[in-house]
Amino acid sequence: METIFFYLVALVAVVSGFLVVRCQSPVNSALALVNTFFCLAVFYVMLYAPFMAAIQVIVYAGAIMVLILFVIMLLNLGTEARKRYTHGVVWAAIASLLVLVNVVFFIKRGRVTGAEGDITDYLIKTEGHTELIGKALYTEFLLPFEIASILLLVAIVGAVILAKKDV
Amino acid sequence: MENLVQIALQNVNLAAIMPSLVLVCFGMGLLLINVFLPRGTTRPAVWISLVGIVVTAVVTVQGWGNPQYGFSDAVALDNFATFFNVTFLLAAALTILMSDDYLRREGYAVNEYYPLILFTTAGAMWMASGTDMMTIFLGLEVMSISLYVLAGFFRGQSASNEAGLKYFLLGAFSTGFLLYGMALIYGVTGSTRLTEIGAYLNSHSSLLANPMTLAGLVLLSIGFLFKLGAAPFHMWTPDVYQGAPTPVTAFMSAGPKAAAFAAFLRTLEYCFFGLKPEWSAMLWVLAVLTMTVGNVIAISQTNIKRMLAYSSISHAGYALVGLVAANEIGYSGVLFYMLAYTFMNIGAFAVLILVGKQGEENLTLEGFAGLGYKRPLLGVAMSVFLFALMGLPPTAGFAGKFYIFAGAVKAGYIWLAIIGVLNSAVSLYYYLRVMVYMYFRDPTEDYAWISLPVSVLATIILAVIGCLYLGILPNEVMAMAKTAIF
């Protein structure tokens, strides 16, 4: 049952991903992208990562998609954006297929052998996912977490510099 | 209140991130101060950022020989990181010194330029001192995003726009490879700490043959090799380097490139020492390819900025030779070379800035005709930088290449060293051509527009001193580089 469900969602995800690239209108592409994001959220649920699934829906399918749609509509893309960019598409297809075959080969042959961490199933059940992630962020990964705030600051400053008419 | 989860902030050791902390504080303070500065007033921003770099340098140097670890091993401020941090700070300081007049001339005297340089440097520091994949990745992102903006800083120029966009798109793509590699390695070892990954792979030797480990190593390498501009991931380099504002190009080719080397070296040495034969063989091919592609294409360039872009590819190739050698002298040679390259490359770009006019970069070879006679001091300085880039004694370039190739020979890679030396010989052609134009062509112009602002002069003088000092007395710095490697 779960396997069938997985393949069903995977099919939807891949088809929507394909449509993101193929759609003529940018709005349709964006909507197909939302679909892909939702499918990914489903995968997270199936991997017993409900927190990630919620974040995926809230941040990606929600906030980021709204921004993308806003940008598309504000820019009012003309005929230029509807042109098909088929430059070198054959080579790109060959290269992507090669990468796909490689990745599938390595992952099929490879094994996930990571050491079992301190976070056991029992701990997840008793403490809850979100608490554990929060704890890890503020203890073990405190520095990367703080660096991420600088990253966002830099991105905001950069966006303002590039977008403002005269700084 | 009993629902509040108690979190002990254990292992917070601010000393381990002090240099980047100081730098980021100056960067954020500067962002705030910029709001109150009247439009077009850039001097205070220049001074504050320079003071920030000097203070950071003082803090950094104090960490020498006094390694600090912290944040549950997410960061290590050891000699290795300190050596690279000094390189980044030098690159940032020299870049800021030569930027102000150029930005004014081109009409983009925007204060936010300086905080972005500081943030880039901080990102580079996190890459060099990161001992956790997350720290390295986020450092790389802070550095890259600042650089994307800096590359596209001249918003009115289509070349600069192209540089920013191209760097952004390809950079994001390569970051995907890097992250995929990290994810696979995490799957195999169950940790993001570099030392734990290394220990786990070492204690489970069957893992070294696990295809997933190899795939992770390869994808990780692609991410780093893109950032350091090695062939065949060098396609972005010429367009980005040519289109970006000249000081940004100088900075990009020195600081961030060194940061990529630092993170790559640490990852290979900490995590994958068990796979040394494999990655040595891989990097052998890439080093040869990078050196040759860079040099051969540089020959046919008539635009000097683009020529220097290709030459920077070939220099990445020389430094990769040190990684292939993977011994003490090879590794410390990489550290030395990155420091030396900072001086010679930024110096050469500073001369390029002076030779240009407003709105007209004047970067063709003809633009240098007779410069050596009309402007003897500039000619001499440029000659020193070109000699250093060629790798001729008594300049820093010679000492750097000597150490790297000596490391290769010592490790038994005789052919690699020979190919490297042959490549240096090829590079003589295009560097010497600039000198031929400077000294053996009749000047078509009088170069009267060249004024010599104190700040740019300071950059050039510092770079010349650096090139000659590292060339004539390399032993002291080389001894420091030797104590800096693991």
Side-chain angles (χ1 to χ4, degrees):
Chain A
M1 181 62 203
E2 207 178 311
T3 333
I4 297 169
F5 187 63
F6 169 80
Y7 280 114
L8 212 65
V9 179
L11 187 71
V12 175
V14 171
V15 169
S16 334
F18 185 69
L19 285 178
V20 175
V21 191
R22 287 296 294 183
C23 273
Q24 291 269 351
S25 145
V27 178
N28 289 357
S29 286
L31 291 175
L33 195 59
V34 181
N35 226 2
T36 322
F37 286 154
F38 269 113
C39 293
L40 286 182
V42 174
F43 288 144
Y44 285 130
V45 174
M46 293 173 77
L47 289 169
Y48 302 103
F51 182 74
M52 290 298 292
I55 291 291
Q56 172 79 16
V57 170
I58 295 169
V59 175
Y60 282 91
I64 289 182
M65 273 326 294
V66 169
L67 286 181
I68 289 179
L69 283 172
F70 257 124
V71 170
I72 290 172
M73 290 177 177
L74 283 178
L75 284 181
N76 194 16
L77 297 167
T79 45
E80 179 70 14
R82 289 168 191 265
K83 237 195 304 183
R84 270 191 193 288
Y85 292 97
T86 46
H87 174 74
V89 77
V90 178
W91 288 111
I94 294 173
S96 334
L97 272 180
L98 277 178
V99 172
L100 182 71
V101 169
N102 259 310
V103 169
V104 169
F105 169 78
F106 276 113
I107 291 182
K108 265 301 220 201
R109 291 275 304 278
R111 282 151 301 148
V112 176
T113 47
E116 298 251 321
D118 307 326
I119 315 282
T120 54
D121 282 345
Y122 174 74
L123 205 61
I124 292 174
K125 278 205 187 87
T126 50
E127 287 221 29
H129 241 98
T130 317
E131 283 88 343
L132 286 172
I133 289 176
K135 260 190 192 166
L137 273 184
Y138 279 102
T139 54
E140 207 182 338
F141 293 98
L142 181 64
L143 182 67
F145 183 74
E146 296 295 340
I147 296 176
S149 58
I150 299 291
L151 178 63
L152 291 175
L153 175 72
V154 169
I156 293 170
V157 172
V160 170
I161 291 175
L162 288 183
K164 220 174 148 196
K165 252 204 187 100
D166 52 343
V167 182
Chain B
M1 294 299 275
E2 68 228 280
N3 286 339
L4 278 181
V5 182
Q6 289 290 321
I7 296 175
L9 286 180
Q10 78 257 60
N11 292 321
V12 172
N13 179 9
L14 287 182
I17 55 162
M18 207 34 117
S20 49
L21 198 62
V22 174
L23 207 57
V24 164
C25 286
F26 268 94
M28 291 196 289
L30 198 51
L31 276 179
L32 265 182
I33 292 169
N34 282 341
V35 178
F36 301 103
L37 288 177
R39 180 175 299 217
T41 315
T42 51
R43 285 292 145 95
V46 176
W47 279 111
I48 293 170
S49 51
L50 281 177
V51 168
I53 288 176
V54 170
V55 173
T56 314
V58 171
V59 174
T60 308
V61 169
Q62 278 173 352
W64 183 262
N66 174 24
Q68 295 285 340
Y69 307 89
F71 293 92
S72 28
D73 266 344
V75 65
L77 195 68
D78 44 12
N79 282 356
F80 179 78
T82 303
F83 194 98
F84 270 107
N85 285 351
V86 170
T87 309
F88 306 147
L89 288 170
L90 270 170
L94 293 176
T95 307
I96 287 173
L97 274 175
M98 72 188 190
S99 294
D100 190 37
D101 289 277
Y102 178 77
L103 294 178
R104 241 174 238 281
R105 191 174 82 197
E106 302 294 329
Y108 287 93
V110 178
N111 280 331
E112 275 69 23
Y113 178 89
Y114 301 101
L116 279 178
I117 295 267
L118 296 188
F119 286 130
T120 316
T121 314
M125 286 179 162
W126 288 317
M127 281 178 80
S129 58
T131 49
D132 184 293
M133 290 208 179
M134 295 311 296
T135 317
I136 292 177
F137 169 69
L138 283 162
L140 182 115
E141 278 298 280
V142 171
M143 184 183 89
S144 304
I145 286 185
S146 319
L147 279 181
Y148 302 149
V149 179
L150 286 172
F153 203 75
F154 287 179
R155 292 166 303 157
Q157 294 181 6
S158 54
S160 180
N161 286 339
E162 185 198 343
L165 189 65
K166 205 168 223 170
Y167 194 24
F168 171 62
L169 290 177
L170 291 175
F173 191 54
S174 79
T175 308
F177 282 98
L178 185 77
L179 265 185
Y180 203 167
M182 285 178 176
L184 291 185
I185 295 297
Y186 178 72
V188 171
T189 60
S191 175
T192 56
R193 304 268 186 260
L194 298 186
T195 42
E196 280 176 34
I197 293 171
Y200 195 79
L201 285 178
N202 212 29
S203 57
H204 302 68
S205 55
S206 69
L207 285 180
L208 294 179
N210 187 344
M212 212 182 245
T213 321
L214 295 175
L217 169 62
V218 169
L219 291 170
L220 209 67
S221 306
I222 289 175
F224 285 128
L225 288 167
F226 175 89
K227 286 291 169 203
L228 51 89
F233 314 107
H234 66 283
M235 297 301 180
W236 58 278
T237 325
D239 290 336
V240 174
Y241 281 20
Q242 193 182 1
T246 309
V248 176
T249 310
F251 183 54
M252 243 195 295
S253 58
K257 185 173 280 199
F261 265 106
F264 195 26
L265 217 170
R266 201 192 277 272
T267 315
L268 286 179
E269 193 54 34
Y270 273 34
C271 301
F272 300 110
F273 47 85
L275 287 166
K276 209 171 239 174
E278 278 83 358
W279 54 257
S280 271
M282 176 177 81
L283 292 180
W284 194 98
V285 177
L286 290 178
V288 170
L289 200 64
T290 308
M291 287 189 287
T292 316
V293 164
N295 277 323
V296 169
I297 305 182
I299 289 177
S300 59
Q301 302 304 320
T302 51
N303 179 308
I304 294 183
K305 206 170 163 189
R306 203 171 173 85
M307 185 268 277
L308 283 175
Y310 279 108
S311 104
S312 113
I313 297 176
S314 66
H315 283 278
Y318 300 135
L320 276 178
V321 171
L323 288 197
V324 177
N327 51 15
E328 190 195 19
I329 189 158
Y331 281 161
S332 44
V334 174
L335 269 64
F336 184 92
Y337 200 74
M338 282 292 121
L339 184 64
Y341 186 65
T342 301
F343 284 118
M344 54 202 189
N345 206 40
I346 291 188
F349 275 107
V351 176
L352 283 196
I353 285 179
L354 287 180
V355 176
K357 293 184 217 174
Q358 182 192 2
E360 186 193 343
E361 296 274 12
N362 191 25
L363 295 167
T364 54
L365 280 168
E366 277 74 26
F368 277 70
L371 181 75
Y373 291 111
K374 291 285 178 187
R375 290 292 179 145
L377 281 177
L378 266 189
V380 170
M382 190 64 179
S383 308
V384 170
F385 301 136
L386 288 172
F387 273 130
L389 288 164
M390 284 181 236
L392 295 182
T395 56
F398 172 74
K401 273 185 192 158
F402 176 79
Y403 288 129
I404 284 180
F405 292 150
V409 169
K410 208 172 174 193
Y413 295 103
I414 311 277
W415 275 106
L416 188 60
I418 292 174
I419 294 170
V421 173
L422 285 177
N423 260 298
S424 303
V426 170
S427 75
L428 285 183
Y429 173 76
Y430 57 84
Y431 290 128
L432 274 179
R433 200 170 45 177
V434 179
M435 294 189 62
V436 167
Y437 270 87
M438 279 195 323
Y439 286 104
F440 299 103
R441 289 289 166 100
D442 291 326
T444 49
E445 314 210 43
D446 56 357
Y447 297 104
W449 69 84
I450 298 180
S451 64
L452 215 53
V454 183
S455 52
V456 185
L457 190 68
T459 312
I460 293 179
I461 289 174
L462 281 173
V464 168
I465 291 173
C467 277
L468 293 178
Y469 175 74
L470 289 180
I472 296 167
L473 299 165
N475 288 336
E476 204 174 321
V477 177
M478 189 59 186
M480 289 174 95
K482 274 187 180 156
T483 57
I485 55 169
F486 329 106

